[in-house]
Amino acid sequence: MKITIAGAGAMGSRFGLMLHRGGNDVTLIDGWPAHVNEIKEHGLKANYNGEELTADLPIELQSDISSDEKTDLIILFTKAMQLDAMLQDIKPLIADHTKVLCLLNGIGHEDIVEKYVPMENIFIGNTMWTAGLEGPGKVKLFGDGSVELQNLGHGQEETAIALAKVLSDSGLNAAYSDNIHYSIYRKACVNGTMNGLCTILDTNMAGLGATQPAHEMVATIVNEFATVAAHEGVHLDVPEVIAHVEECFDPETIGLHYPSMYQDLITNHRLTEIDYINGAISRKGKKYGLATPYCDFLTQLIHSKEEILKA
Ligand code: NAD
């Protein structure tokens, strides 16, 4: 199977590397010239659960795709705000049979993917794998994870199950979900609380959890997500989701971790995915006539911080 990873940062590199080691024909596509050149010249370097390795993976700059050889599967792993431009640039690789799997964090990416790919070829999912980009051409890949995915098009369940098997055969631990929008909203509640709050408050998740107002802020934001989700027919179990979010506070597990938005904005002065997490809830809330004041405010705070830091 010919697999294209569109967006080969931390997560795209993880999936590309694991699928390559699993024996698939993998090509990376990315938009960061320094990263692309480094991998072209020296291979993809990875600290893979403590083992230093180099993988000889083909990579192309997305603005410079020379081949129009079609691909069987595209896995999208840009940041949310890079997704539309990536799909535009990889159009030459998309054939009638090409399946597209979107695993970005956030809500509503299918609205963008649908502009380029027929519904029956679109699959969306959610992953618990993590990855870190240490610099151009170098990733740090630790721990275990999983993937859930589902077809958007009617009657494509068997294809979704087959795609999950392709990922699992390379150790990515993927499963078919019959309710992927629930999982996506549930994970978005984690990102919609930990990311923005830790970034603005300049703390890790345990630090946030140790503050007195943390529970009320988390509960209010989760309730805003749940109200919007219910309008779309997704009924979150709010107490369970709040408890799930608050597991992040535990310093014995992941509490000492700074969320990716913190690393993007505070450490690296890069733009964030806020418009596709809390910002998506704000937009949908306005569309459905639902009040989402905490998501509105958090989105504005992050945008102000992006401007202050000249992200
Ligand atoms: P990433 O920032 O590592 O890579 C995304 C893109 O940004 C890539 O094209 C990369 O080359 C580019 N990029 C990275 N650093 C850059 C720099 N300094 N200058 C210019 N370009 C740069 O993003 P990611 O962590 O792989 O995330 C991809 C998607 O997966 C996002 O939606 C994210 O929320 C989600 N996700 C991430 C993780 C994780 O642990 N990293 C886990 C689950 C989901």
Side-chain angles (χ1 to χ4, degrees):
M1 172 173 272
K2 188 163 175 45
I3 302 177
T4 300
I5 308 287
M11 290 298 282
S13 294
R14 172 187 274 290
F15 275 60
L17 182 64
M18 290 179 74
L19 288 161
H20 167 77
R21 283 163 65 98
N24 296 285
D25 174 6
V26 177
T27 300
L28 309 178
I29 306 282
D30 199 68
W32 185 16
H35 185 56
V36 171
N37 290 338
E38 188 64 29
I39 294 174
K40 269 192 177 159
E41 284 174 27
H42 302 114
L44 174 67
K45 294 197 165 48
N47 182 328
Y48 188 69
N49 294 325
E51 179 195 351
E52 297 289 346
L53 59 85
T54 302
D56 192 13
L57 272 166
I59 184 162
E60 285 196 73
L61 195 60
Q62 70 184 72
S63 56
D64 206 16
I65 292 176
S66 53
S67 159
D68 62 356
E69 194 189 329
K70 307 301 180 199
T71 188
D72 301 316
L73 170 63
I74 294 170
I75 303 180
L76 297 168
F77 256 134
T78 60
K79 289 286 193 186
M81 52 285 186
Q82 303 163 328
L83 182 60
D84 204 321
M86 173 61 81
L87 282 158
Q88 182 69 35
D89 285 339
I90 62 173
K91 267 173 24 182
L93 310 178
I94 303 175
D96 289 347
H97 76 278
T98 306
K99 314 292 178 231
V100 176
L101 171 60
C102 181
L103 291 176
L104 279 63
N105 277 335
I107 295 166
H109 303 309
E110 53 269 35
D111 297 345
I112 295 173
V113 183
E114 263 177 53
K115 294 196 291 177
Y116 300 92
V117 183
M119 191 69 102
E120 70 262 24
N121 286 341
I122 304 177
F123 300 80
I124 58 171
N126 204 16
T127 179
M128 295 300 160
W129 288 99
T130 61
L133 192 57
E134 299 209 302
K138 177 91 209 274
V139 284
K140 196 169 183 179
L141 310 175
F142 269 84
D144 288 326
S146 58
V147 179
E148 283 180 89
L149 64 90
Q150 189 176 15
N151 47 300
L152 279 190
H154 286 298
Q156 298 300 319
E157 288 75 12
E158 289 305 317
T159 313
I161 290 165
L163 278 185
K165 181 166 176 351
V166 169
L167 299 185
S168 290
D169 285 349
S170 292
L172 283 159
N173 192 20
Y176 171 77
S177 162
D178 62 4
N179 197 1
I180 196 66
H181 286 106
Y182 190 100
S183 303
I184 287 173
Y185 263 108
R186 184 172 182 265
K187 186 171 186 202
C189 286
V190 177
N191 296 131
T193 48
M194 295 303 115
N195 271 328
L197 293 174
C198 289
T199 302
I200 290 303
L201 296 172
D202 196 2
T203 186
N204 59 23
M205 297 188 285
L208 169 65
T211 67
Q212 188 273 328
H215 175 72
E216 194 181 329
M217 289 193 289
V218 166
T220 306
I221 292 170
V222 170
N223 271 292
E224 290 183 6
F225 274 70
T227 306
V228 167
H231 211 83
E232 299 187 338
V234 178
H235 298 284
L236 295 180
D237 175 348
V238 171
E240 186 283 327
V241 175
I242 292 171
H244 171 60
V245 169
E246 292 185 339
E247 284 170 10
C248 298
F249 294 155
D250 185 353
E252 301 292 321
T253 55
I254 56 170
L256 299 181
H257 178 74
Y258 285 78
S260 60
M261 187 175 289
Y262 182 99
Q263 292 169 30
D264 285 339
L265 184 54
I266 306 300
T267 312
N268 296 318
H269 297 187
R270 296 178 64 207
L271 290 173
T272 72
E273 295 183 299
I274 195 75
D275 282 337
Y276 303 86
I277 309 171
N278 304 81
I281 297 303
S282 294
R283 277 195 307 283
K284 285 173 182 282
K286 285 187 183 64
K287 188 166 118 192
Y288 304 144
L290 304 168
T292 59
Y294 275 46
C295 284
D296 300 353
F297 187 41
L298 199 47
T299 304
Q300 288 170 331
L301 285 173
I302 292 290
H303 282 318
S304 293
K305 194 75 180 170
E306 288 172 341
E307 285 189 37
I308 289 164
L309 294 176
K310 301 191 177 14

